[in-house]
Amino acid sequence: MKNNYINLAAVGLLVGATTFSCSEGFLETEPQGQFSTVGLANPQGVEGILLGAYAMVDGFGLDGQSSWNGTIENWVYGGVVSDDAYKGTDAGDQPEQSFLETYDFQATNLHLRNKWRAVYKGVARANDAINTLKQVDEVSDQRRAQIVAEARFLRAFFHFEARKMWRRAPYIDDNIFVLDDLESSKVPNDREIWPDIEADFEAAMAVLPESQNDPGRPTKWAAMAFLAKAKMFQGWNQDTGVANTAKLQEAKPLLEDILNNGGFSLVPTFEENFLVGRRNNEESIFEVQYSISSATTQAANEGTTLNYPYTDPWGCCGFYQPTQNLVNAYRTSADGLPLLTTFNNENVTSDEGVALNAPFTPYQGPLDPRLDHTVGRRGILYKGYKIHNRDFIRDQAYAGPYSPKKHVAEPAFFGIGPNPRLSANNYRIMRLGMVILWLAEVEVELGNLERARELVNLIRTRAANPEGFVPRATQGADRNDFTIVEGEPAANYVISTYNQPWTDQGVARQAVRMETRLEFAMEGHRFFDLQRWGVAAEVLSQYLTVERTRRSYLSQAQFQKGVHEYFPVPLEAIERSFSEGSPTLTQDPAFP
């Protein structure tokens, strides 16, 4: 992955080593400037190729491809396509995203093509590392085993991304892949690849150490967590929403092992999971590493570069705006519990129609404090920069008054490079909070409701820590001036644990799923959670029924059950898979 933790000095080698990348896989153009594989068949070359595989973890690194198309943060595919976020900005910007947001899924959408290219480029590089290693004798047995384990972890990681996106995704391993043979990657997508993904994670877990000297390299615990996640994705029938308890029972001991023996702990406050100064903290299991300096921004978090407020000090670009539905989800009852079924019956006050300098009173009802670490909203201090107002928004009439927040670096880490929208704020793709809530999901389906309640309360207790509340701030004479009111929270934060026994499985299931949304909103997971639970059609149809009254461009949007849970295989991938006169890839039958 792109960072300065995994020996960036070696990346110089990759400039040559990855020149051959134009021949890696069936989506690429004609081969250009291939690098001799013989020249890389040495210990340094193998390490360089492995670094090339890490460089694809953030989904960026292909010529002619915008960083947000393939990004691992999945803010388009997991956020904009869900009930968490609108595309944002204005109507004419990035129309490919507008099609996805309105469930007009087309095999010609360039965003889908580029996501495919990104994940299968990563697969190719992981396979190349393994195959080149086979030609090298001057590597110790211990290091050889670990190189293979890291490469197999990465290969599973990339295939996992593909399988989330596409119901029909091909699996390509080192026995199939030949760097210099374009035909080798033209394999059919005619079988389920979850077993292959699990096998790679299991093999990596058996070899990887419990800790790594280089942050960003996977550990045994990271492999175990992703193996458990793969099982969680198979834990429900996605047509009926009925639990596959056999798969959930397989996930349970893995999740318990991580929780009890992994040495991880929840950070004291929710916000710490989104601060540059708290990267690779005690809650983190696997992070996409980013870095930035005054000399280079090439390793920064470029995948989110569009998702910043339109005002200074960022100045662009206004994408990925939270929905009113998401904001309403943070409403609580008077006793501090989520409103599981009625949260969207009342709107948290927005500032639509209120001029920049006009008086505005933020919503006074009880709220979960995680809202203001997730969403920028008027009258609330925005991550220590200034008080949020309508000047944060490019076109409020189009996409509403809210801004994304979690990925934004705090002021102490702002402005290190020339682009104000780039920082070293890592993407926490796997952390202990996820493990805890997955285990709670399992316990609900297995009938252990009180254990599930205990696990959810671990998350809610951390969220209720007043040390982590956003403070109240008052506007100064200058737009960028503010004064923090010591000891006063920014809103009426009321949050409590579930103190009554859980006796109804259906209600417990709702509670766990709501907690998952509140904890991980705007992190690119929401659509895939709805997908794996088998409830995407139900939830998103209800969402659209209301959102059509709020956002006129959603008036014709329709989510079709059995179709829109996955994306179509990119047409270009099918066309480039021709072998012996016919394509080896076939389209998902949901997209005739």
Side-chain angles (χ1 to χ4, degrees), residues 211-230:
S211 62
Q212 291 269 25
N213 292 328
D214 298 328
R217 291 189 189 269
T219 64
K220 163 191 168 180
W221 303 111
M224 188 182 297
F226 277 97
L227 175 60
K229 182 177 181 179

Side-chain angles (χ1 to χ4, degrees), residues 156-278:
F157 180 92
F158 294 124
H159 278 113
F160 197 134
E161 280 295 300
R163 183 59 183 83
K164 289 189 327 189
M165 293 282 295
W166 294 284
R167 203 177 341 239
R168 292 193 169 199
Y171 177 85
I172 305 169
D173 69 8
D174 55 292
N175 296 313
I176 296 171
F177 178 80
V178 178
L179 177 64
D180 296 322
D181 181 6
L182 285 174
E183 300 299 304
S184 69
S185 295
K186 296 179 179 180
V187 300
N189 58 339
D190 58 358
R191 64 181 180 84
E192 180 55 76
I193 68 170
W194 282 122
D196 303 286
I197 293 170
E198 287 193 20
D200 272 343
F201 281 134
E202 287 172 350
M205 185 177 73
V207 173
L208 291 172
E210 295 196 0
S211 62
Q212 291 269 25
N213 292 328
D214 298 328
R217 291 189 189 269
T219 64
K220 163 191 168 180
W221 303 111
M224 188 182 297
F226 277 97
L227 175 60
K229 182 177 181 179
K231 295 179 185 297
M232 295 300 293
F233 265 73
Q234 301 167 76
W236 284 266
N237 182 310
Q238 293 179 4
D239 294 325
T240 65
V242 174
N244 178 353
T245 54
K247 272 297 174 186
L248 296 176
Q249 286 174 326
E250 290 177 18
K252 182 175 177 176
L254 300 171
L255 297 168
E256 289 179 327
D257 197 4
I258 297 167
L259 179 59
N260 297 328
N261 303 309
F264 305 101
S265 60
L266 296 176
V267 293
T269 63
F270 179 67
E271 183 188 24
E272 290 174 73
N273 282 311
F274 317 107
L275 299 177
V276 179
R278 291 289 278 130

Side-chain angles (χ1 to χ4, degrees), residues 330-338 364-369 460 464 469 491-496:
Y330 287 93
R331 293 174 55 230
T332 67
S333 63
D335 57 359
L337 293 177
Q364 299 300 299
L367 293 169
D368 187 311
R460 293 188 64 78
F469 292 177
N492 181 21
Y493 300 134
V494 182
I495 181 171
S496 65

